[in-house]
Amino acid sequence: MRALVTGASRGIGRETAKLLAGGGAELALHHFRHREAAEQLAAELTSKGKPAFALSADLASPPSIDRMAEALAERWDRLDVLVQNAGSYPRGSIFELTDAQVDATLATNLLGPIRLVRRLLPLLKDARAGRIILVSSVLAYTGSVHGAPYATAKAGLLGFARSLARELAPRITVNVVAPGATDTAILAGDTPELRKRREAQIPLGRVATPTEVAEAIAFLASPRAGYITGTTLHVNGGIYFG
Ligand code: NAD
């Protein structure tokens, strides 16, 4: 099985890549600004007999996405699993964000992922039990008081996934994982007080570990999820039931 994980240098993407490699996948590890971390992970996996390589793209840049798709096609003639996990969450009130910030958030979290999937469809069409998993967010469902463009982009992914699930059936399943607050760089700005308040709102009483979200992604990528398509798996400690 050949899998591309975007945003694989750290956080949820990194844990997903490790789980997929553990399940026997060959890995293409996409990174944006953390080349060294992605290359280190590729070397680590390869040394354990799990072939992996790193490649880069800025999801906000269409030519950069095209170059990555071409680079992947030069190495592989087939892609079985695409985990579109990369994303960024710039915070700001809708009254204060600039037009450029709004556009950049939609480019990175919605238009970039759509372009990436479209560019990779020629490789996915020969997939063995093809899988596309898009990482959205609980904020797609609940909205966000300080991230409307991000929540909008993540909600857009739901419509994209449902549409693709219909159009790509029966060869490729398409699903969404919607994490709640997860202990990665995205929450690095939390003060101890904010973290306490955040956790008090979550029925399970804590934020997720990146591995807990990765487990859901790995499940949807596995043969065990062969009859699941067009749906969202919520991994949020009960803060939203879906
Ligand atoms: P993270 O910041 O550790 O990882 C995000 C990854 O996306 C990084 O590898 C980063 O390099 C990449 N990225 C950011 N901007 C990019 C760009 N312009 N082009 C290409 N790659 C880019 O955070 P994470 O929590 O592991 O995030 C993974 C996914 O989970 C994201 O889509 C995020 O929106 C989503 N998510 C996270 C949380 C959370 O609380 N951590 C909650 C809900 C959803």
Side-chain angles (χ1 to χ4, degrees):
M1 181 174 86
R2 289 171 169 172
L4 167 64
V5 179
T6 67
S9 61
R10 64 185 201 182
I12 293 167
R14 185 180 180 87
E15 295 311 306
T16 301
K18 290 199 283 191
L19 287 177
L20 295 181
E26 284 178 54
L27 260 300
L29 306 171
H30 157 269
H31 63 87
F32 176 36
R33 292 205 170 112
H34 304 94
R35 173 182 297 277
E36 210 173 297
E39 284 179 350
Q40 259 173 22
L41 179 59
E44 190 184 310
L45 294 175
T46 304
S47 73
K48 290 180 184 158
K50 323 274 186 197
F53 59 92
L55 74 186
S56 74
D58 176 0
L59 280 184
S61 158
S64 175
I65 294 170
D66 295 351
R67 280 194 297 276
M68 182 173 85
E70 283 159 22
L72 192 65
E74 277 168 23
R75 298 190 72 133
W76 285 349
D77 59 2
R78 190 192 85 241
L79 178 65
D80 302 305
V81 175
L82 167 59
V83 179
Q84 173 21 60
N85 158 78
S88 67
Y89 181 16
R91 290 161 176 80
S93 157
I94 199 66
F95 296 103
E96 286 155 14
L97 289 167
T98 63
D99 288 341
Q101 286 171 317
V102 171
D103 291 358
T105 303
L106 293 175
T108 301
N109 293 291
L110 181 60
L111 299 177
I114 291 173
R115 190 177 185 95
L116 180 70
V117 171
R118 280 165 49 79
R119 288 296 169 277
L120 295 177
L121 283 176
L123 281 183
L124 280 157
K125 80 176 177 358
D126 294 323
R128 303 177 187 153
R131 301 276 190 272
I132 297 175
I133 295 124
L134 305 174
V135 178
S136 175
S137 167
V138 70
L139 299 179
Y141 293 83
T142 62
S144 164
V145 284
H146 46 220
Y150 174 82
T152 303
K154 293 295 194 182
L157 290 178
L158 306 177
F160 184 53
R162 290 172 187 154
S163 306
L164 283 189
R166 294 187 187 284
E167 200 169 345
L168 303 184
R171 296 183 58 83
I172 301 171
T173 68
V174 186
N175 291 292
V176 170
V177 169
T182 306
D183 203 4
T184 68
I186 282 190
L187 297 190
D190 274 13
T191 59
E193 295 73 41
L194 175 57
R195 178 61 68 96
K196 238 186 193 163
R197 263 186 284 136
R198 197 189 281 292
E199 293 188 329
Q201 292 167 356
I202 301 171
L204 293 188
R206 60 178 179 81
V207 302
T209 66
T211 308
E212 286 170 322
V213 180
E215 288 283 5
I217 298 170
F219 165 65
L220 289 171
S222 76
R224 286 170 291 149
Y227 201 62
I228 301 174
T229 195
T231 197
T232 298
L233 188 43
H234 293 277
V235 187
N236 61 34
I239 201 164
Y240 177 83
F241 289 149

